[in-house]
Each structure stands twice: as C-alpha cells, then as structure tokens.
Amino acid sequence: MKKKTTIYDIAKEVGLTAATVSRALNNNPKISEKTRKLVQETAQKMNYEQNTLARALKSGKSYNVGVIVPRMDSNFFASVIRGIEEELYPKGYHVIVCQTHDQENQEAGNINSLLNAQVDGILMSISNAKTKNKIFDNIAHKKVPLIFFDRKKEIPGVSSVTIDDFNGAYQATKHLIEQGCKRIAHLSNNRSLEIFKNRYLGYKQAILDHGLEFDESLVIETFSKVIEGRKTTKKLLKMANPPDAIFSSSDFSALGAIQEIKEQGLRIPEDISVVGFSNEPFTKFMELSITSVDQSPIEMGRIAAKVFLKEVDNKEPKKESEKIVLQPELVIRDSSLKIKSETSA
C-alpha cells in the first residue's frame, strides 16, 4: 500500500516548517498569499488528502455552509450561489445547496438536514412569508449563524443582504412614464413576501408622484412564470381601456407578456412597453431585448458570505444584526425605449 503524503512530506519539499504548512493548508490569514499558494499547489501535486475529521475536531468547525434557495433554475439564485462560493471556497469552506420549491415543509426539512450535517452557518432566501419563525428557532438554539439574502424575515439578531426593491420598481415605472406611458399595468407576485410588496409599492408611488391616476385593476398578482405572464397579459388586453405599458416583478412573466402581445399583433414598445425585474441573461440576448432591473446577485452572494465569515469568527456574543441594502440598476433596452436620445438616434 502506497504511503499517504503528510504535512511533514510537504514541509520537506517546500523547505518550510510543518506548522507553517498546516496553517497554509487551513488558510490562516497570518500566512502570505504567496506561501499559501505554494503549499497548496505542492499538496495537490503530492496528492495530499487532508483529514477533514481531524481538522473539524481541532477547529470546532465542519467547514461546510448550507445555502437554501427557492429554486436553482433561476440565473439570479445561481449567481448568488456563485458569489457565495467565490468568497467562501478560498477560505476552505464547502457549500451545500438545497432548494425548497417554495414549500414550507421542504424548507424546514432542509434546515434540519443541514443542522444534522453540522454546518457552520446557513445562508438562505425564504420560501414564503408565512413560514413560521419557530422553524428558525432551532438554528438560533444551536448558535449557528443565519443570514438571509433577497427574501427575508424580520427576526431579531438575524442579518440580511437585500436590494432596494422599492427603488428598483420606482425607477422602472418612472422610466415608462418618461417614455410617454400613462396606463401602466403591474404583474405582481405574492405580496406577503416583502420583495414583491416593495416592488408593488415602488410602482404605485411612481404613478402617484408623476400625477397619473392609480388604477388597482391594472395590478394583477401572478406567478413568476412565462405561461402565467401570458395568461395575465391576455386578461389585461381584453380590458375596455387596456394598458400601454407593463411593469413585471419578474423577467419570466415579462417574457410571457411579450409573447402574448406579439401573438395579438401589437408592437413593442410602440403599442405597449414592457419592463421586467432581475436582469436574467435571456433579457439581453433576445431579438427584442428586455428592459430589466439588475439585482447584482454575485455581489449579493459575496456580501452575504462576508457577513457569515464575520459572524462565525466572532467569539463575542452578537449584539446587533447587519441589514445591508444594495442599490439596483435599471438596464434600459428595446422593449421600453420609445424615445431615443439624440446620441442613440
């Protein structure tokens, strides 16, 4: 049987002490980046396998972090996960991803499974605003850091990283008004969730601030799916006084709206303008590119991971949580641009 490589073998190879090698393999901040890279590359060449159990026993950490998202077939959540991994992997952490499919019982099961796996922290976007707080009590009881991102609940002592959904919706609606739109419909979602409630409120405030009549019949709650966007838009177009613009709380329902508008022989943006939310990749690659609100998901993931690292390494009792709010960016494209500037003409 081939002898396993030890840290002493690596130390001999690179001319360092075994203690320095051990610190470099464990991403100790006292070790320079140059030394850490040399040690880790040498360890890889020598097929060194770190004893994760021994490491966990020594540090009191499993170096596993749980991430819970409603679904993974969304570029937004995939990008948040990427940001989390980019921040945590160099620090020696591994990420375990779970999805809830917006089901409360599955969310509770994911939390329990991650706690049983002894993760060092849980970063999550909640499935439903009605999720009972007691589901999170076990996390607090085990003193495992919990950080919300995107969708959150207000729980004392729990940090969160979100974007300013109100401002994103306000800017999107304001843009449509500046393009000459006067009857702007809103494809909302479950407004018991704070993000969709704030997008609705931002839309409404922009309407009122610009002297337009707010018409509740133009607001329809639907799911963030293409087929639902089509169904909802069909209802809107049957109105005696149909809208001349649609602001959707989701890019997927915005895409459905565009498909239905085209199906009915109407022009975009000349007859109806459309704006989405999330800036999914398909929005810029379509023949008719879609205006959308960008949420900076990679940055959101990175910041959520940094908040976790700060909390997991903090030996003092936690005094207060962090509430980090990122600013969104409206990315203007063909689906809403009726009035082109002189420079783009």
Side-chain angles (χ1 to χ4, degrees), residues 163 276-280 292-297 327-331:
I163 70 152
F277 208 109
S278 197
N279 201 27
E280 292 281 336
S292 187
V293 179
D294 186 77
Q295 298 176 268
S296 304
Q327 287 305 311
E329 177 189 1
L330 180 65
V331 183

Side-chain angles (χ1 to χ4, degrees), residues 82-91 301-302 305-306 309:
R82 174 184 163 188
I84 291 170
E85 288 182 327
E86 286 179 355
E87 193 65 35
L88 294 185
Y89 189 74
K91 308 293 192 302
R302 282 185 170 276
K306 287 178 180 177
L309 290 171

